[in-house]
Amino acid sequence: MTIQRMIRESGKIVFFGGAGVSTESGIPDFRSEDGLYRQKYSVPPETILSSDYFYAHTGAFYDFYRDKMLCLSAKPNAAHFALAKLEREGKLSAVVTQNIDGLHQAAGSKNVFELHGSVHRNTCLRCKKQYSAEFILKSKGAPRCACGGIVKPDVVLYGEPLDSATVDGAVNAIRDADMLIVAGTSLSVYPAAGFIGYFQGKHSVLINRDETPFDDRCELVVRGKVGEVLSDL
């Protein structure tokens, strides 16, 4: 069974993706051999990207965040465009992503559940005014609102819960799907990785460079780059 045939037989496809979807756009992943978490810092990235660290060391958090997390020059790649095309054709019902870069929407996808938030939404903790990612990038130290409040990115930091409405939407989409494509993710980050357990449909595909805990539960496993595989659809 090929991916192409599975797609022809399906009418409600859900795509579940991780950092490996965006590496072909030049955005580094986290857990691969050359990923962000394997690099050496005086403070571990997992600590910097925590809620406790954000509130205790906001300036230092933003120094790291601007340097490593705000990749605003990145453009959608073949994977993003292929998924947007499947949605336009009425085949893809939803994208569920662990990424925060907004590249699915930039490529044209409409129904996107961003489990870990987005760098493109930033909110003043005092007055709730919204700011762009460009505002954060151009600011110095801890970015502040016109009212004086600190501006916080709408990304889920370690120690914070996922947004309940986003979770409900993602779970319902996966539960209702007749095909699930899982790609570019190690499936080691919970609770997000647990979402695929809600899938009850017919066809399941995993596209990833390395082995994952989901491999033996998939109908088809493809080793390779996500963009290269999906561009052949």
Side-chain angles (χ1 to χ4, degrees):
M1 180 74 76
T2 64
I3 297 179
Q4 289 83 351
R5 182 176 173 183
M6 292 178 188
I7 290 174
R8 287 197 300 270
E9 294 181 356
S10 304
K12 267 191 174 181
I13 303 169
V14 168
F15 178 85
F16 181 96
V21 178
S22 293
T23 52
E24 291 166 74
S25 294
I27 297 177
D29 66 5
F30 293 87
R31 290 174 171 80
S32 66
E33 289 185 5
D34 54 353
L36 188 62
Y37 288 173
R38 299 294 182 93
Q39 300 176 32
K40 302 300 182 183
Y41 298 95
S42 57
V43 179
E46 297 98 321
T47 299
I48 298 174
L49 296 174
S50 68
S51 177
D52 287 345
Y53 193 89
F54 173 83
Y55 288 105
H57 308 281
T58 309
F61 167 90
Y62 269 111
D63 288 343
F64 179 89
Y65 181 82
R66 291 188 191 94
D67 186 43
K68 298 297 182 182
M69 309 299 288
L70 282 183
C71 305
L72 302 187
S73 62
K75 304 297 182 184
N77 62 52
H80 300 105
F81 288 119
L83 294 167
K85 180 174 180 287
L86 284 175
E87 185 181 49
R88 289 195 301 272
E89 293 172 347
K91 285 285 189 178
L92 187 81
S93 59
V95 169
V96 180
T97 180
Q98 299 175 79
N99 297 335
I100 60 176
D101 50 48
L103 293 182
H104 285 291
Q105 292 92 328
S109 290
K110 304 298 183 184
N111 194 29
V112 181
F113 296 100
E114 297 172 304
L115 296 179
H116 297 152
S118 172
V119 300
H120 296 285
R121 298 187 298 270
N122 303 273
T123 306
C124 171
L125 294 175
R126 181 181 294 174
C127 73
K128 307 307 178 184
K129 182 178 179 179
Q130 298 293 302
Y131 287 89
S132 69
E134 288 75 16
F135 170 83
I136 300 297
L137 185 62
K138 293 176 181 177
S139 63
K140 303 294 183 183
R144 289 192 175 272
C145 175
C147 77
I150 291 175
V151 179
K152 183 179 183 297
D154 180 21
V155 297
V156 179
L157 302 176
Y158 287 103
E160 294 181 333
L162 303 185
D163 176 72
S164 58
T166 303
V167 168
D168 289 345
V171 167
N172 289 334
I174 292 171
R175 184 185 286 125
D176 292 342
D178 54 14
M179 179 177 179
L180 179 65
I181 302 174
V182 181
T185 173
S186 64
L187 295 175
S188 61
V189 178
Y190 283 83
F195 282 33
I196 59 176
Y198 291 98
F199 178 65
Q200 303 171 22
K202 182 178 181 182
H203 295 307
S204 56
V205 178
L206 189 140
I207 308 166
N208 203 51
R209 186 176 64 181
D210 305 313
E211 291 184 5
T212 80
F214 192 56
D215 286 12
D216 60 356
R217 296 168 56 190
C218 266
E219 183 179 359
L220 177 64
V221 175
V222 181
R223 293 278 176 255
K225 294 182 178 180
V226 184
E228 291 179 359
V229 176
L230 294 186
S231 63
D232 292 334
L233 298 181

